[in-house]
Amino acid sequence: MPDRRGPGRRPPWWPENEPFPPRGPGGWGGGRRRFPRRLGILFALFFGLTFVASAIAVRLLSGGFGGPGGPGGPGGPRGGPPLVPLPVLGVGVLVAVLVAGRVVRRMAAPVGDVMEAADRVAGGDYGARVEARGPAEVRRLARSFNQMAERLEANEAQRRSLLADVAHELRTPLSVIRGNVEGMLDGLYPADEAHLGPVLEETAVMARLLDDLQTLSTAEAGVLRLHRERVGPASLVEDAAAAFRVRADTAGVALDWRAAPGVPELDVDPVRIGEVLANLLSNAVRHTPRGGSVVVAVEPAAAGVSLTVSDTGTGIDAHDLPHVFDRFVKSSASGGAGLGLAIAKSLVEAHGGEITAAPRPGGGTTMRVLLPGPEGSTPSFS
């Protein structure tokens, strides 16, 4: 759950050299009170001056400011229309002010709510929401603000969850390293291969985790460099299957690959797509029991090329299926840090494609990667 702070508490991410709470016009909540008043005065002056100016113009055009017997009066020489008395002008100005106040209350109050909620968000309370009321434009502003606050709240929760997960994943290898090193320094363990080997292995685990996090962050930020080239999808699938042949044979799993005819070439980074297929095959072989099978297939699709990895394994629980591509999500039987599918999703999306997971009929899971074909290419379904 996000930490919902009130405006009186400094959030941990707030810069030390910046005053808190922020010193805006009117301070906390002051904008909500002052904005309607200022807008009301502006509207009242506008309506009032407009009414008075219109009345004066009418008087001038109707013959001036004379009395009943003066020029332009009912008894005047030109017999013009009767003039508007000054008391009537005053009543008109009052009515204009009242109308302006009604308009201001209808429009300014919701805007003031948005301003107050924005102050709360600036103070770290990402749970602030506003009611969509008032004119259509103001309701649209409120809905946009609520969507922004929801994204900020989700990002804050994701950031906290990511920090907690990274700390959890690093804690185990650090404990192993610390225990073995302290034991050797205290003379309890000899500095031999049996005690230095686990230290080296755990440092490799930490290095792999940091590499995965860097790949994931650059891909999600849209700054991952792709070295694209024209490649045949069949060769990508064949190479990936060959790399896992020994592991599948050791696990007693039948591994096969298939390529449909008429598959167009892809304009992709073959190394990155190879990483995606390797991750999918690793999961498929790991979760398929002895005697099962894994099939990697490539076929043309309406929007490009489809790569699928199907297994006859234990499958994915329906409750976990929508979250398999989230970071640090893994089953109890999975190894690693739970970043593989998240990285695969980011790499596929960096190529403009999409990846999905679905239960396989008869048991197991089918992972499908849809990649767009090169511009100007038309898939052949012959």
Side-chain angles (χ1 to χ4, degrees):
M1 294 295 293
D3 184 12
R4 300 188 176 183
R5 294 178 171 82
R9 296 180 59 187
R10 177 192 294 268
W13 47 263
W14 195 267
E16 293 294 336
N17 57 346
E18 294 291 335
F20 188 87
R23 299 291 184 245
W28 290 101
R32 182 184 181 184
R33 293 189 297 270
R34 295 185 180 183
F35 177 74
R37 289 201 299 266
R38 293 174 178 175
L39 191 61
I41 294 174
L42 180 62
F43 268 79
L45 289 175
F46 175 77
F47 278 105
L49 292 176
T50 301
F51 185 86
V52 172
S54 300
I56 293 175
V58 170
R59 275 180 169 268
L60 291 175
L61 292 175
S62 61
F65 291 88
R78 285 181 282 178
L83 301 179
V84 180
L86 291 178
V88 176
L89 287 178
V91 173
V93 171
L94 179 60
V95 171
V97 171
L98 294 177
V99 171
R102 182 180 180 87
V103 172
V104 167
R105 283 195 302 271
R106 175 177 169 77
M107 184 175 68
V111 175
D113 293 340
V114 174
M115 295 175 65
E116 182 183 27
D119 283 342
R120 292 172 57 191
V121 170
D125 181 10
Y126 300 115
R129 301 291 187 272
V130 293
E131 179 185 359
R133 59 193 179 98
E137 293 78 6
V138 179
R139 293 198 302 271
R140 180 180 176 184
L141 172 65
R143 287 192 294 267
S144 298
F145 176 86
N146 289 338
Q147 293 174 0
M148 178 199 70
E150 289 173 3
R151 286 195 296 268
L152 289 174
E153 187 175 26
N155 290 339
E156 175 66 10
Q158 189 178 37
R159 181 186 69 85
R160 292 176 180 274
S161 176
L162 175 62
L163 292 176
D165 290 334
V166 171
H168 174 75
E169 294 296 332
L170 291 176
R171 185 176 295 112
T172 299
L174 284 175
S175 299
V176 174
I177 294 172
R178 180 176 181 178
N180 282 274
V181 172
E182 287 182 347
M184 287 184 285
L185 290 176
D186 294 339
L188 300 177
Y189 305 144
D192 55 10
E193 183 179 354
H195 294 91
L196 290 175
V199 173
L200 183 60
E201 291 177 1
E202 295 303 332
T203 56
V205 170
M206 295 175 61
R208 185 166 58 250
L209 174 60
L210 295 177
D211 289 341
D212 289 345
L213 287 172
Q214 183 179 17
T215 301
L216 184 62
S217 62
T218 53
E220 290 183 344
V223 295
L224 180 67
R225 295 187 61 183
L226 299 177
H227 302 282
R228 295 178 179 266
E229 58 182 86
R230 287 288 184 102
V231 295
S235 64
L236 292 175
V237 170
E238 182 181 10
D239 293 343
F244 280 84
R245 181 73 61 190
V246 174
R247 185 184 303 186
D249 292 341
T250 303
V253 176
L255 176 59
D256 191 16
W257 70 274
R258 303 167 187 169
V263 180
E265 288 187 331
L266 290 173
D267 184 16
V268 297
D269 185 332
V271 175
R272 294 301 187 181
I273 297 301
E275 292 179 13
V276 173
L277 292 174
N279 180 272
L280 299 183
L281 282 171
S282 176
N283 289 338
V285 172
R286 184 187 305 117
H287 293 92
T288 300
R290 182 174 294 273
S293 63
V294 175
V295 177
V296 192
V298 55
E299 58 186 1
V305 176
S306 172
L307 307 174
T308 59
V309 177
S310 300
D311 63 71
T312 59
T314 56
I316 303 175
D317 188 86
H319 178 72
D320 298 329
L321 194 60
H323 307 289
V324 294
F325 298 106
D326 294 345
R327 289 177 287 191
F328 296 102
V329 173
K330 60 179 181 178
S331 65
S332 57
S334 297
L339 290 175
L341 289 179
I343 293 175
K345 180 175 184 291
S346 297
L347 293 177
V348 171
E349 291 179 346
H351 285 82
E354 62 179 10
I355 182 172
T356 56
R360 177 182 174 274
T365 304
T366 296
M367 309 294 291
R368 184 171 185 264
V369 176
L370 181 62
L371 295 172
E375 290 188 13
S377 65
T378 302
S380 173
F381 294 91
S382 59

